Amino acid sequence: MNEEKPQIPEVFLSPYDPTKHEQEIYKLWEESGFFNPDNCVKSGVAAADADTYCIIMPPPNANGRLHAGHGTDMTLKDILIRFNRMQGKRTLFLPGADHAGFETQGVFEKKLQKEGRSRFGMERDELYNEIYEFVMDNKGTMETDLRSLGVSCDWSRNTFTLQPGVVERVQKTFVKMYEDGLIYRGKRCIHWNPKFKTSLSDIETTFEDRTEKFYYFQYGPFVIGTARPETKFSDKYIVVHPDDPRYAQYKHLQEFEVEWINGPIRATLLKDEVADMEKGTGAMTITPWHSQVDFELAQKYDLPLEQIIDWDGKLLPVAEEFAGKKIDVARPLIVEKLKEKGLLVEIDDKYTHAVRLCERTGVVVEPQVKDQWFVKMDSLAKMTLDALDAKEFKILTNRHEKIFRHWMENPQDWNISRQIVWGMQIPAWFKDDEIKVQLDSPGEGWEQDPDTFDTWFSSGQWPLVTLGYPEKEDFAIYYPTNVMETGADLVFKWVPRMLMFGLYLTKRVPFKDVYFHGMVLDKHGKKMSKSKGNVLSPIDLGDQFGTDATRMAFVVANPPGADMPLSEDKVRAYKKFSNKVWNITRFILTSCHDFDPVTKVSLSQYDKEVLSKLDEVVKDVTKDIDSYKMYLAAEDIYHYIWHELADKVLEESKEVINGSDTEAKAARQQVLMTCLTTSLKLLHPFMPFVTETIWQELPENMKDAELLMVAPWPKGN
RNA sequence: GACCGAUUAGCUCAGCUGGUAGAGCGCUACAUUGACAUUGUAGAGGUCACAAGUUCAAGUCUUGUAUCGGUCACCA
């Protein structure tokens, strides 16, 4: 009995155990140097003049672990990369990490809080250096996570947003844009986060519907409505619509003596179309310092600006007896006072409106007027839309193209100043009323703007800085990159900025295709969140079921643009599949151990059918990946291996293999070996670890490459 | 309010340019010390949200209705 037991590698005698192999395999890949396309060329894996294929990794935040979103993100890209690398292209997956300015500083401030410290009162350099160390520690963890996901990126080109060359490049862009008139400094009404004390751009804020009290007050002959009485202390202008019949008897610019919160004031009527006749009484007063709409109106009529609420969210001396109070404390007191004065007309307590919040911290945003740097968006947006119309780049999902167009057609100027330390300092210098924009100090007495850039200002230039625009060879070789594959939530935040900077600086788009994936949800289709306790970490899933199984779960049934529910069951199913592949190998190796390569084989009809089925799968999988249908390719290869190769071909072959017809046997052996090696190749981009582990155990005469990672992709006949 | 999407088996979803429905998980029965119990075979289960229309023929195209979801806008 024992004599008959064929000699196959011992490792196949027990089920596949991912934890035993994954780290070792990644090390094997990394040490081979083939993540770096230069080495592929040197060793002949890729021809020196082969096509290039490049993806720039959306840099994960340096301050944290990878989450389920990264799981999809990295898996889809790594599939494309591995597929193209096996096709002999000069393939570059360029990794990096983002300093994630505001978000990281927020995380760090929480840490300070725990230690009973605060960033206020710390020296700029001291704070920066502490955050830097904190981030560098975490950055290493994040990179370990990337490795454990099997991401085949070129670590020799790893880039961090705050490294010197990158900072200088971003600052140079700022200077150039300033000189070209695309950046201006201006006093504008911006979104202010009073807790973290920084301004925010539109896209860093969200709305939340809240039901709050809406007050009607007597204001001279008018009744005005407001949800925010605390801003109204020095409102001196009433606005009504010019066509509003209720106010026809009053004239534009007519003045009134009005009894108000802290005594009489002189008010002026403005008739302007911004007033909405339908809303409330159709009459409103304006507070230009604390409302965007009012601010614009104030600009139009050249009205004075007065700050009512300070940078901490407390009332200023103009509020007299209420000065120094936080707005939520002051509001009821002010209403009470107006009521006592007989000026309160009505309270509507079913008023629902959207309150603007800081997206990251949930803090209610206070509009404030502040000197900030802005990017003029209209011409940049137009340039981008023109490129889209000219098909210089494609958005693969229609839906997102529509959303993208809609947004780009109505661009708002972009506030790029942030009052935080963790970021790239803006290269602008102040001396009295003078401003100079340049990298180095203009000399004695000049102070650099303490503000830093919005994170998206630097990450918008990511494809350029990582490839070393303008002078590095990489830029000449790999720009424009092939595809930007990223989360649909970045349709406004990141993607348009990269396109605008790319087009502005190089006249060329930074990538040809844009692939948006959806959000990873829990198994009931709900958002994953720590508070709900339904978070699945790709790293934990990998530890439990194997990285390959995790990767498959992230890609199957995950078409572009749609959200995807994920459950442990799904991952478990693909763990079974890893083992299935493992056992198929065991069976085939056992069946083929006595294969005599010199035997002249003549294929039976069935053999030919088997090979032609295999061919079909090769074509399907290749075509699907080429057209970004990784979700279908993964199912195709899964289905083929399990339900065709294992269930049918192997079952059919048992008789021939154990039979006495040596010619038929040899033919079948050869067919089986081809099926195995081809299947491993097709599956490799999706399940790199188990396929490479198996490949390393195959006898030399079955392989056409040392490493499966750089084995030639099978061609259909 | 504006725009967009979804509605197909118990659950989560595929179904490209129209020809009487598929996968995974789950469920039921049976089998199996034989590559693999991380298995195999067989099976139950759907008037493809509703209504009308185009067509020889409609989950598949058009229009409308309902329900759910998303994004943008709205702090008088």
Side-chain angles (χ1 to χ4, degrees):
Chain A
M1 192 73 190
N2 267 355
E3 275 172 80
E4 282 177 32
K5 263 241 158 97
Q7 291 306 303
I8 59 160
E10 206 174 310
V11 67
F12 289 112
L13 297 178
S14 49
Y16 175 62
D17 178 1
T19 54
K20 262 195 203 153
H21 306 285
E22 289 187 359
Q23 279 195 355
E24 207 178 300
I25 290 290
Y26 194 90
K27 216 168 125 200
L28 186 69
W29 292 328
E30 198 170 350
E31 284 171 1
S32 78
F34 292 137
F35 289 167
N36 181 344
D38 302 338
N39 293 332
C40 290
V41 170
K42 259 182 238 158
S43 63
V45 164
D49 60 349
D51 286 347
T52 57
Y53 191 85
C54 178
I55 298 178
I56 307 286
M57 180 187 294
N61 294 349
N63 69 14
R65 305 293 304 258
L66 297 190
H67 52 65
H70 292 114
T72 321
D73 208 69
M74 295 302 161
T75 302
L76 290 171
K77 278 185 278 286
D78 197 50
I79 290 167
L80 289 167
I81 287 291
R82 286 180 183 270
F83 169 74
N84 280 284
R85 187 185 292 120
M86 288 171 80
Q87 289 193 322
K89 293 184 191 163
R90 287 181 288 162
T91 303
L92 173 60
F93 192 1
L94 208 160
D98 192 55
H99 68 283
F102 182 44
E103 184 167 338
T104 304
Q105 184 160 323
V107 170
F108 188 76
E109 281 182 41
K110 272 193 196 144
K111 182 176 173 271
L112 284 180
Q113 232 169 25
K114 270 189 198 155
E115 295 165 4
R117 302 196 291 156
S118 157
R119 79 158 149 127
F120 302 105
M122 279 175 87
E123 285 298 317
R124 182 191 184 98
D125 286 352
E126 183 193 354
L127 178 60
Y128 184 95
N129 290 337
E130 276 204 37
I131 301 179
Y132 191 86
E133 273 175 38
F134 169 75
V135 166
M136 282 304 132
D137 280 352
N138 290 319
K139 181 169 170 285
T141 311
M142 183 276 283
E143 287 162 359
T144 306
D145 285 355
L146 281 177
R147 285 183 168 87
S148 59
L149 279 178
V151 176
S152 64
C153 54
D154 181 3
W155 292 106
S156 73
R157 286 173 164 89
N158 196 14
T159 310
F160 178 50
T161 44
L162 290 185
Q163 73 193 44
V166 173
V167 175
E168 194 186 315
R169 181 64 253 157
V170 170
Q171 290 180 330
K172 276 184 179 165
T173 303
F174 176 82
V175 173
K176 180 174 158 62
M177 289 176 86
Y178 179 76
E179 285 165 357
D180 287 348
L182 287 168
I183 282 179
Y184 62 91
R185 185 165 177 81
K187 231 186 207 351
R188 294 282 179 283
C189 189
I190 48 96
H191 311 300
W192 181 255
N193 181 328
K195 187 165 171 211
F196 288 86
K197 296 202 186 52
T198 180
S199 63
L200 302 165
S201 66
D202 296 343
I203 54 168
E204 288 170 305
T205 63
T206 53
F207 290 95
E208 188 180 280
D209 279 335
R210 288 193 181 170
T211 302
E212 292 183 327
K213 286 185 176 147
F214 191 78
Y215 307 93
Y216 290 96
F217 298 117
Q218 194 67 45
Y219 187 85
F222 304 95
V223 173
I224 57 152
T226 183
R228 300 202 56 193
E230 69 277 9
T231 63
K232 300 275 159 211
F233 288 96
S234 62
D235 282 13
K236 293 188 189 74
Y237 294 87
I238 314 132
V239 187
V240 300
H241 197 281
D243 299 333
D244 196 325
R246 288 169 290 186
Y247 308 110
Q249 74 267 37
Y250 304 114
K251 282 202 255 350
H252 182 57
L253 297 181
Q254 189 173 340
E255 296 194 356
F256 300 88
E257 198 65 38
V258 174
E259 179 57 32
W260 196 226
I261 312 171
N262 291 330
I265 56 167
R266 193 152 191 85
T268 307
L269 179 69
L270 296 173
K271 290 201 168 185
D272 192 281
E273 275 146 21
V274 296
D276 182 351
M277 287 192 269
E278 308 287 309
K279 206 158 180 177
T281 58
M284 64 174 177
T285 62
I286 60 168
T287 315
W289 196 285
H290 297 290
S291 155
Q292 213 132 18
V293 181
D294 297 359
F295 179 82
E296 277 161 31
L297 207 63
Q299 298 271 296
K300 184 171 166 184
Y301 293 101
D302 201 20
L303 309 179
L305 299 171
E306 187 178 8
Q307 188 172 10
I308 312 296
I309 298 164
D310 73 5
W311 306 104
D312 292 322
K314 290 182 186 146
L315 288 162
L316 286 163
V318 63
E320 296 183 13
E321 61 185 279
F322 304 103
K325 289 195 163 47
K326 289 238 172 202
I327 55 177
D328 47 343
V329 176
R331 187 181 292 178
L333 300 176
I334 295 163
V335 173
E336 190 53 36
K337 180 163 183 193
L338 281 161
K339 190 178 169 189
E340 278 166 20
K341 295 181 84 166
L343 296 173
L344 177 64
V345 177
E346 197 191 334
I347 300 177
D348 174 1
D349 47 16
K350 292 204 180 73
Y351 177 72
T352 302
H353 65 155
V355 178
R356 199 186 274 265
L357 307 176
C358 170
E359 191 187 30
R360 295 208 176 92
T361 63
V363 171
V364 176
V365 164
E366 181 62 53
Q368 292 275 15
V369 174
K370 197 167 172 52
D371 268 319
Q372 300 277 279
W373 293 101
F374 292 87
V375 173
K376 271 190 173 162
M377 295 291 273
D378 41 4
S379 65
L380 293 169
K382 185 172 182 310
M383 203 186 280
T384 309
L385 282 173
D386 288 346
L388 181 57
D389 289 334
K391 298 191 167 45
E392 288 171 42
F393 71 99
K394 257 200 327 273
I395 297 175
L396 296 171
T397 34
N398 268 334
R399 188 157 46 102
H400 294 107
E401 184 181 326
K402 279 182 196 162
I403 295 173
F404 181 88
R405 280 182 185 278
H406 179 79
W407 193 75
M408 294 299 278
E409 277 158 11
N410 308 290
Q412 302 279 316
D413 282 0
W414 170 21
N415 176 1
I416 53 170
S417 324
R418 295 293 176 276
Q419 290 70 46
I420 56 177
V421 163
W422 183 239
M424 304 179 190
Q425 202 168 348
I426 297 176
W429 307 81
F430 305 133
K431 186 180 177 184
D432 304 321
D433 284 345
E434 276 185 276
I435 297 178
K436 283 197 178 183
V437 171
Q438 58 189 61
L439 294 202
D440 301 314
S441 171
E444 194 110 339
W446 288 85
E447 292 255 341
Q448 187 170 4
D449 187 340
D451 289 358
T452 51
F453 288 121
D454 176 11
T455 296
W456 302 108
F457 189 82
S458 51
S459 52
Q461 299 176 57
W462 194 236
L464 300 167
V465 297
T466 49
L467 289 172
Y469 166 83
E471 74 283 355
K472 292 261 176 63
E473 212 188 354
D474 276 355
F475 177 74
I477 297 173
Y478 296 105
Y479 191 94
T481 64
N482 291 73
V483 57
M484 176 44 61
E485 195 287 324
T486 191
D489 52 326
L490 296 176
V491 62
F492 306 130
K493 288 187 174 132
W494 193 38
V495 172
R497 324 238 173 231
M498 285 189 287
L499 286 158
M500 289 188 290
F501 282 117
L503 285 162
Y504 167 64
L505 289 173
T506 74
K507 307 273 179 284
R508 288 185 296 161
V509 292
F511 32 74
K512 294 167 207 157
D513 293 324
V514 182
Y515 179 122
F516 285 114
H517 62 252
M519 219 185 327
V520 181
L521 307 171
D522 77 358
K523 62 180 163 184
H524 303 294
K526 297 268 179 276
K527 239 183 188 174
M528 288 186 183
S529 72
K530 278 183 197 161
S531 55
K532 279 188 219 147
N534 60 352
V535 174
L536 292 175
S537 140
I539 308 304
D540 294 348
L541 289 171
D543 289 345
Q544 201 178 345
F545 303 106
T547 300
D548 294 315
T550 308
R551 287 170 61 119
M552 278 299 267
F554 276 122
V555 61
V556 172
N558 187 8
D563 291 344
M564 183 192 70
L566 180 70
S567 63
E568 275 193 13
D569 278 347
K570 188 174 177 187
V571 187
R572 190 175 292 114
Y574 292 108
K575 179 177 186 185
K576 292 182 186 176
F577 181 54
S578 314
N579 195 54
K580 191 76 183 176
V581 177
W582 191 251
N583 277 300
I584 288 168
T585 307
R586 174 174 167 185
F587 177 82
I588 292 181
L589 290 183
T590 310
S591 307
C592 298
H593 77 285
D594 59 351
F595 176 67
D596 175 3
V598 295
T599 310
K600 232 187 175 178
V601 294
S602 63
L603 298 176
S604 69
Q605 186 57 34
Y606 183 79
D607 291 331
K608 285 179 191 160
E609 278 169 29
V610 169
L611 288 178
S612 102
K613 278 248 170 69
L614 180 66
D615 241 32
E616 254 174 62
V617 189
V618 170
K619 279 186 206 145
D620 286 348
V621 170
T622 308
K623 196 181 94 216
D624 284 342
I625 304 181
D626 266 332
S627 50
Y628 296 110
K629 291 177 185 159
M630 283 71 81
Y631 65 109
L632 291 182
E635 281 207 286
D636 282 349
I637 183 64
Y638 171 88
H639 201 262
Y640 172 78
I641 290 177
W642 201 312
H643 299 297
E644 181 65 30
L645 182 58
D647 288 355
K648 299 198 180 125
V649 179
L650 295 197
E651 291 303 327
E652 290 283 338
S653 299
K654 285 177 181 171
E655 209 174 309
V656 181
I657 295 296
N658 296 322
S660 53
D661 183 341
T662 51
E663 268 184 37
K665 179 175 170 180
R668 184 59 54 84
Q669 284 175 325
Q670 194 176 67
V671 169
L672 289 181
M673 288 188 290
T674 305
C675 287
L676 177 62
T677 52
T678 303
S679 297
L680 289 174
K681 286 181 178 183
L682 294 180
L683 188 58
H684 178 73
F686 303 89
M687 305 185 85
F689 288 105
V690 66
T691 50
E692 185 75 77
T693 306
I694 292 171
W695 192 264
Q696 291 309 313
E697 299 292 345
L698 294 183
E700 290 307 315
N701 63 358
M702 280 177 71
K703 297 194 270 196
D704 52 1
E706 283 286 313
L707 274 180
L708 178 55
M709 183 181 89
V710 289
W713 187 256
K715 288 191 179 62
N717 290 322

